Amino acid sequence: MVLKLYGDNISNLALRVAHVLTDKQVPFEYIKVDMIAGKHKSPEHAQRHPFGQIPYIDDDGLVLYESRAICKYIATKWRDQGVQLIPDPNDLEANALFDQALSIEQNNFEPITLNIMLELKYKPLRGEKTDEKFVESLIAKLEVKLNGYETILSKQKYLAGENLTLADIYHLAWGAVLIDELGVNSTIDEKRPHVARWFKNLSSLPGWLAVKNGLPYQEV
Ligand SMILES: N[C@@H](CCC(=O)N[C@@H](CS)C(=O)NCC(=O)O)C(=O)O
């Protein structure tokens, strides 16, 4: 049975999973869970995602949520096809550096960029007022974190070493929105040429370009 991805084009995390499925050349059905209509909170979906969120997948009966867990599952199951996104399981050092890079994204990047997104994008969509002072403080925090990124990326091409991994790709979900939609690019500029080179490279990955503006949904 073809893998089903439940998501919505307004969810960048659903697009994260679609990106990885595309890179791994895995055919899938993309099923819309209309977030604006609150469908993700319906009993039907809550049965499959206990937190009433998207994305989640159904791969022949295996229902999996949490976008990073989904992406790792896909990259592992279809290891031998498409773009290689995880290290060789027998390479202890490469896996340690991969785990480190995953942790960097989850602890140093997402908590800040997600909050900037919520303030600048989602609050206005809900008719709420952006807290400009909070955004300023978040951007100041992001600047400091990006100095750490600059140090790492001045020595290697990607966050886990010389090869692209899921850890890099995970930055696109919020990073691309900040830059493409919200114009928060003062943080990624000539002050940090290695971060700029890295992010430009990520933003032009074919898999991301194929999904970033959303995908057609399948009728169910
Ligand atoms: N850590 C989760 C976060 C999932 C998440 O926050 N999804 C958003 C859409 S991008 C959502 O469903 N928000 C609605 C809600 O949390 O009620 C993941 O990576 O999948």
Side-chain angles (χ1 to χ4, degrees):
M1 216 170 60
V2 70
L3 184 148
K4 293 187 172 72
L5 167 61
Y6 291 82
D8 187 319
N9 285 331
I10 63 167
S11 159
N12 271 43
L13 298 180
L15 299 182
R16 169 188 280 173
V17 174
H19 175 181
V20 171
L21 285 164
T22 305
D23 271 0
K24 297 306 292 176
Q25 298 168 3
V26 179
F28 63 100
E29 275 176 25
Y30 184 38
I31 296 164
K32 180 166 183 169
V33 182
D34 190 335
M35 283 188 78
I36 303 283
K39 287 279 164 60
H40 52 308
K41 301 295 177 196
S42 71
E44 182 203 342
H45 292 293
Q47 252 182 10
R48 300 193 209 114
H49 195 314
F51 300 103
Q53 295 180 320
I54 52 169
Y56 62 90
I57 61 166
D58 182 341
D59 182 28
D60 215 4
L62 172 70
V63 176
L64 200 60
Y65 48 87
E66 284 298 329
S67 61
R68 292 179 186 82
I70 299 170
C71 292
K72 197 159 177 200
Y73 168 77
I74 295 162
T76 307
K77 179 167 177 184
W78 287 280
R79 170 184 297 284
D80 296 332
Q81 66 187 56
V83 183
Q84 197 55 255
L85 295 173
I86 51 173
D88 177 340
N90 298 315
D91 187 336
L92 180 64
E93 195 173 305
N95 278 283
L97 295 171
F98 176 49
D99 285 341
Q100 175 179 266
L102 292 171
S103 190
I104 292 170
E105 184 272 330
Q106 218 163 338
N107 292 294
N108 293 289
F109 191 79
E110 188 187 65
I112 301 174
T113 51
L114 178 57
N115 272 303
I116 300 176
M117 279 265 310
L118 294 174
E119 285 296 330
L120 290 181
K121 184 171 177 182
Y122 289 107
K123 270 193 170 178
L125 277 179
R126 291 198 303 259
E128 293 169 25
K129 204 168 167 317
T130 297
D131 181 340
E132 301 289 351
K133 280 254 168 311
F134 184 41
V135 173
E136 265 174 45
S137 74
L138 290 167
I139 290 181
K141 280 188 187 157
L142 184 59
E143 296 266 357
V144 175
K145 297 294 188 186
L146 289 179
N147 290 338
Y149 275 74
E150 182 66 11
T151 303
I152 298 167
L153 294 165
S154 65
K155 298 184 192 132
Q156 59 198 45
K157 200 163 167 206
Y158 296 103
L159 213 50
E162 292 310 313
N163 298 317
L164 174 76
T165 66
L166 289 175
D168 301 292
I169 283 180
Y170 292 163
H171 290 77
L172 281 165
W174 308 135
V177 180
L178 292 186
I179 294 174
D180 292 353
E181 292 182 32
L182 302 173
V184 182
N185 52 4
S186 64
T187 49
I188 299 183
D189 56 14
E190 65 280 1
K191 277 191 286 179
R192 298 181 188 85
H194 297 94
V195 174
R197 181 259 309 147
W198 169 72
F199 205 78
K200 198 168 162 211
N201 181 348
L202 294 182
S203 315
S204 51
L205 288 172
W208 178 246
L209 293 178
V211 306
K212 69 176 230 178
N213 294 320
L215 293 173
Y217 303 106
Q218 313 281 315
E219 293 302 326
V220 276

